[in-house]
Every structure is written in structure tokens, then in C-alpha cells.
Amino acid sequence: MDNPSEVSGLVTSVEQLEALYGRPGEASLVKELDHIIPEYAAFIEASPFVALATGGPEGFDCSPRGDRPGFVRVVDPYTLMMPDRRGNNRADSLKNVIEDPRVGLLFLVPGSGTTLRVNGRARISIDADLCGSFAVEGKPARSVLVVAVEKVYFQCARAIHRSELWNAERHVDPKSLPTPGRILEVASRAGIDGAAYDQEWPERAKKSMW
């Protein structure tokens, strides 16, 4: 923003922050490991959704990744592999990885309040055999993100419980929100026909799912 709002009471040092929040409890420290134990692997293998955080010269990116449960492969205690499927071809996350390999992953498991966080460094592989090993419906992955694990720990369930994320009674009716077509029409200043985009999307999504 050109003219951000003035905000008072800003915290500007780690010392201030520590004085405000105090010292972390023992449980919040011992759960952090530099490798994946079987208990952590269980969450990864049950998860159909992960948020991938990356950073590069043009800024930061947090991108959703979803597939069938266990789509992120636990190769060994220090290595994860995640397939990249068809999308919008922006490849923001992958571009960032090329510039800065540091990544963060947040795994969610529907119905569970516990989330799992993994920090590490990633590389991108387009090895045909490796991409083929992640094939779904006969379609191989376009590339595979190979993550060297540096930190892994579970996040307590407070955020999920507060948000009631899995409570169906709290789910928002999609019809109450702007459609992707409407957003594109406004963003493009009517250069894109929003109604046509929304009408075509379901069929287009089926063709490009994998």
C-alpha cells in the first residue's frame, strides 16, 4: 500500500516479544525434531492437504496442495517427496524454490485438530521414473518436490478448535461468496466474461484434475 495506516504499540524487538509471551513450555520444545518419527509420518500419510510456504526475490508465497491422502511420500526420516499436478502454470512456489530452497509445510487431516509442520530445503526433480511413480489416473506428476527435512513438529489443536474448521454447521455457503469468475471479471476490468468462466469451470476442472 502507498499509504499504510499508522499503527501504535508496535513490538520491535525479540526482547519485547519474550517479555510479553514468556518462555515456552517444555512440551512445545521437545516436540521439535530434525527428522520424521513414525508418529509424525502417520499424520503425513493421512493428510490430503498441505499448505506450502516459500520465499523468493519477488516476495513470499503460500500455496495449497491437495491430492489423495498420503500424496506426500515419506521416503525416509529426513526426506519427503511431493508431486506437483496440473494447475494455472504460474509456478510461483517452484520459482521461489529455485531462488531460495527454504520451504515450510503445514499438513491438515480432516477431522483432526492437530496439524503437522515441516521446515526444510527443497529441490525440484523432473526425473521421468520418479514423476511416473506419482501417477494418478495414468497421469504422472509434472515435477516432484524433494524436501530435505530440517525441523518437524506438531501444532496444538487450539487454532482448529477455535475456528471450528471441521464443524459442518459452521461451513459457509459458497453461494454467499464472490465466484472466481466474478473476481476475474472485476480484476480484469471486464476483460474476462465472469459468467462464462464460471459456467465452463466445472468441466475444465474435470479435465485438468490430475
Side-chain angles (χ1 to χ4, degrees):
M1 296 184 295
D2 294 331
N3 298 299
S5 300
E6 291 293 330
V7 179
S8 61
L10 295 177
V11 176
T12 58
S13 71
V14 174
E15 290 75 19
Q16 280 181 283
L17 199 61
E18 291 178 341
L20 177 65
Y21 283 91
R23 296 179 60 83
E26 180 183 8
S28 66
L29 297 176
V30 299
K31 66 183 179 182
E32 181 182 315
L33 302 173
D34 66 354
H35 63 285
I36 300 167
I37 56 177
E39 289 75 11
Y40 283 164
F43 280 92
I44 296 171
E45 291 164 353
S47 175
F49 180 89
V50 59
L52 170 65
T54 60
E58 297 185 5
F60 297 95
D61 183 73
C62 188
S63 177
R65 293 289 191 271
D67 216 318
R68 294 172 179 174
F71 73 101
V72 176
R73 183 179 298 169
V74 181
V75 180
D76 59 51
Y78 296 93
T79 312
L80 295 177
M81 290 184 177
M82 180 168 63
D84 191 66
R85 305 291 182 193
R86 295 185 64 178
N88 58 19
N89 294 332
R90 285 181 56 115
D92 294 323
S93 298
L94 300 183
K95 291 175 183 176
N96 282 345
V97 166
I98 290 174
E99 298 289 345
D100 184 341
R102 293 176 297 175
V103 298
L105 301 108
L106 177 67
F107 292 89
L108 275 71
V109 178
S112 173
T114 300
T115 60
L116 188 74
R117 298 173 63 172
V118 176
N119 295 336
R121 293 177 182 269
R123 296 168 292 162
I124 303 167
S125 174
I126 55 172
D127 178 82
D129 290 337
L130 181 59
C131 290
S133 72
F134 283 95
V136 176
E137 304 293 338
K139 297 180 180 179
R142 299 187 76 175
S143 65
V144 175
L145 204 64
V146 182
V147 179
V149 174
E150 295 179 341
K151 293 182 180 180
V152 54
Y153 52 99
F154 74 87
Q155 188 77 30
C156 71
R158 289 188 183 91
I160 302 297
H161 286 317
R162 289 182 188 131
S163 67
E164 297 189 59
L165 185 63
W166 310 125
N167 183 355
E169 295 181 358
R170 295 290 298 274
H171 288 182
V172 174
D173 183 353
K175 294 180 180 178
S176 69
L177 299 172
T179 65
R182 173 59 181 168
I183 296 171
L184 287 170
E185 186 169 316
V186 172
S188 68
R189 299 182 181 180
I192 293 177
D193 184 334
Y197 181 93
D198 287 332
Q199 185 175 10
E200 296 167 2
W201 166 246
E203 190 62 31
R204 189 165 61 248
K206 290 179 183 178
K207 295 179 180 179
S208 62
M209 184 67 72
W210 308 110

